[in-house]
Amino acid sequence: MQIERIDTFPLLHKLTKAYGDANGYKRYRTCFLIRITTKSGVQGWGECIDWLPALEQVFQYRITPYLLGKKATDRLTVVKEASRWNKRAAAGVSMALTDIVAKAAGLSLCNLWGGQQHERLPVYASFQSYIEDEHWMDGSLDLIGKALDRGFAMIKVKIGGRTFEEDRRHLAAVNKTFGDKMKIAVDANQSYDLATALRWEQEFAKVPQMMWFEEPLPPNFVKEYKLLRTKMCVPIAGGENQQGAELFAALLQDQAIDIIQPDIMHESGVDTFRHSLMLSRTFGVRVSPHTFDGALSRLFTLCAMACLPPWSKMKGEAIEPVEWDVMENPFTELFPITLHNGMVTLPDGPGIGVEPDGEILKRYRWDGLQGCD
């Protein structure tokens, strides 16, 4: 189980039309995969997110020289050391080593983690609602309609990047057009102060199928989150950039949040991510992980969710939904997963159970700084 080779796969796709949220517009999508191979020939895949040149440099000069010759089974020690140079790169290393260990044992990820408790998992269609066009609302409604045609029964739309009134009219149009067909969540990307966030209460009351209000405030506004939670008719969600269970524990101890949303690529490894998931069960709150940026990280996330005990005894509420990117992004198809009517069936082979699409790896391979500023 000695590590013999590390290959990196930086991928870049320029979007045909920019889209975005309150943080700005995306003009390209990126993906950074790694493949670790042991001397016995077992291979494991991992994914990380950061600026592509930075990831290439840290792997070339730091992480790859360190990993060569190490034992794949020493993944906790190896990942901890890698996180000294780049925590997000360490998350990818953690995925790849976990994949190797599972494959060597002949186990799926779920079986490695104690067994799959949910045969199928719900996912929601996640949108970047804004485009650089005065008719952006029409474009948003069109995308939502296409997701409905694909069988999605839950969606998340963006607010916070336009005036309150524009976003209010957008949510009203979404509710009027699709409200009887799907559940709706909104994500503000930390755009508001407390007073503005509170204005949404009367609007959410008109949307009975609202799932949650995501990240209305910056995450350090703990007192404001706690007050907002007592005033809202919908759950408060957030935490995609939190780096570890201890940070979620602080929010939960202060009773400031209803749904935690860890992201496996923003934490320093698979094991710390799973600790965050289990924390939801310890505190008796829900968890709906953030996983907008990659198909492999989404697969790891789905497998981890499949191993969680049910959060509720209510029919149809045994396990919380996972985010599913439905925007223009060829990398969401890199690791194929069976998706039907908004439900996912996991692969049952050893490790991650699937191999990446080789044509996508070749077609979108990034080979320089141009176009990645």
Side-chain angles (χ1 to χ4, degrees):
M1 295 291 284
Q2 195 174 36
I3 297 172
E4 183 176 59
R5 181 182 176 91
I6 297 93
D7 297 293
T8 60
F9 300 85
L11 308 176
L12 176 71
H13 168 63
K14 186 176 181 180
L15 296 173
T16 56
K17 191 172 187 178
Y19 54 73
D21 54 23
N23 292 322
Y25 289 101
K26 295 175 175 63
R27 304 190 186 279
Y28 55 83
R29 297 299 296 268
T30 63
C31 176
F32 193 94
L33 296 178
I34 66 168
R35 181 179 62 200
I36 298 179
T37 305
T38 67
K39 282 190 174 181
S40 59
V42 182
Q43 295 184 334
W45 288 91
E47 180 180 19
C48 38
I49 185 168
D50 208 330
W51 191 44
L52 293 183
L55 289 172
E56 275 286 271
Q57 292 288 305
V58 77
F59 271 95
Q60 181 177 350
Y61 294 109
R62 289 290 191 178
I63 294 179
T64 294
Y66 168 73
L67 288 177
L68 293 174
K70 297 295 189 295
K71 293 181 180 178
T73 49
D74 291 338
R75 70 180 187 277
L76 295 182
T77 301
V78 168
V79 169
K80 183 178 180 181
E81 186 69 15
S83 69
R84 293 176 53 208
W85 299 305
N86 188 303
K87 287 187 176 181
R88 292 188 171 185
V93 172
S94 177
M95 290 183 214
L97 296 181
T98 302
D99 188 24
I100 286 173
V101 170
K103 286 174 178 174
L107 299 173
S108 67
L109 291 181
C110 289
N111 286 335
L112 180 71
W113 294 333
Q116 186 171 338
Q117 299 200 37
H118 308 277
E119 183 179 348
R120 298 193 305 159
L121 295 149
V123 294
Y124 66 86
S126 184
F127 295 95
Q128 299 277 290
S129 298
Y130 303 129
I131 57 174
E132 296 173 308
D133 190 304
E134 62 178 328
H135 303 295
W136 65 270
M137 293 187 201
D138 294 334
S140 173
L141 294 175
D142 181 62
L143 287 175
I144 294 172
K146 291 177 180 177
L148 180 65
D149 292 341
R150 291 178 60 186
F152 285 98
M154 294 177 279
I155 63 168
K156 182 171 77 178
V157 298
K158 296 292 187 174
I159 58 175
R162 293 289 190 274
T163 65
F164 180 88
E165 177 57 25
E166 278 187 279
D167 283 334
R168 185 201 67 77
R169 286 191 285 111
H170 177 226
L171 179 61
V174 172
N175 182 44
K176 180 179 179 180
T177 309
F178 305 106
D180 60 342
K181 303 177 182 70
M182 53 177 54
K183 296 180 180 178
I184 303 169
V186 296
D187 182 1
N189 291 110
Q190 306 174 27
S191 294
Y192 302 133
D193 60 10
L194 178 60
T196 309
L198 284 168
R199 292 182 66 188
W200 280 104
E201 160 61 19
Q202 60 182 341
E203 304 303 324
F204 294 159
K206 304 171 186 176
V207 189
Q209 69 281 20
M210 280 288 299
M211 294 193 294
W212 64 72
F213 187 13
E214 184 170 328
E215 297 205 324
L217 311 169
N220 58 313
F221 285 27
V222 177
K223 292 181 180 179
E224 289 83 355
Y225 264 108
K226 186 173 181 178
L227 177 59
L228 181 66
R229 186 177 177 229
T230 66
K231 302 293 184 180
M232 279 288 162
C233 62
V234 300
I236 304 299
E240 66 190 62
N241 292 305
Q242 301 288 76
Q243 297 179 2
E246 68 277 9
L247 298 176
F248 284 109
L251 283 172
L252 294 172
Q253 286 171 342
D254 282 322
Q255 299 181 328
I257 200 165
D258 296 287
I259 304 170
I260 61 173
Q261 296 181 304
D263 187 315
I264 193 170
M265 289 204 291
H266 296 173
E267 300 207 21
S268 59
V270 173
D271 297 281
T272 59
F273 172 70
R274 293 183 63 230
H275 291 163
S276 295
L277 296 187
M278 286 303 302
L279 196 65
S280 71
R281 298 307 188 251
T282 302
F283 279 86
V285 301
R286 284 175 282 172
V287 56
S288 182
H290 178 271
T291 176
F292 187 74
D293 290 303
L296 181 57
S297 59
R298 183 178 62 200
L299 176 54
F300 269 89
T301 297
L302 287 163
C303 290
M305 288 292 287
C307 297
L308 281 181
W311 81 269
S312 171
K313 298 177 183 178
M314 294 184 288
K315 184 177 180 180
E317 297 284 346
I319 190 67
E320 304 91 321
V322 172
E323 188 171 26
W324 191 281
D325 177 7
V326 294
M327 303 302 292
E328 178 191 340
N329 179 10
F331 310 132
T332 196
E333 305 296 333
L334 257 170
F335 291 83
I337 308 175
T338 302
L339 170 64
H340 181 66
N341 288 335
M343 300 292 289
V344 166
T345 302
L346 295 174
D348 58 4
I352 58 176
V354 292
E355 290 295 315
D357 187 317
E359 289 302 314
I360 294 179
L361 293 180
K362 292 178 183 178
R363 180 179 179 183
Y364 296 99
R365 180 100 189 193
W366 169 78
D367 57 5
L369 292 173
Q370 185 177 3
C372 192
D373 53 4

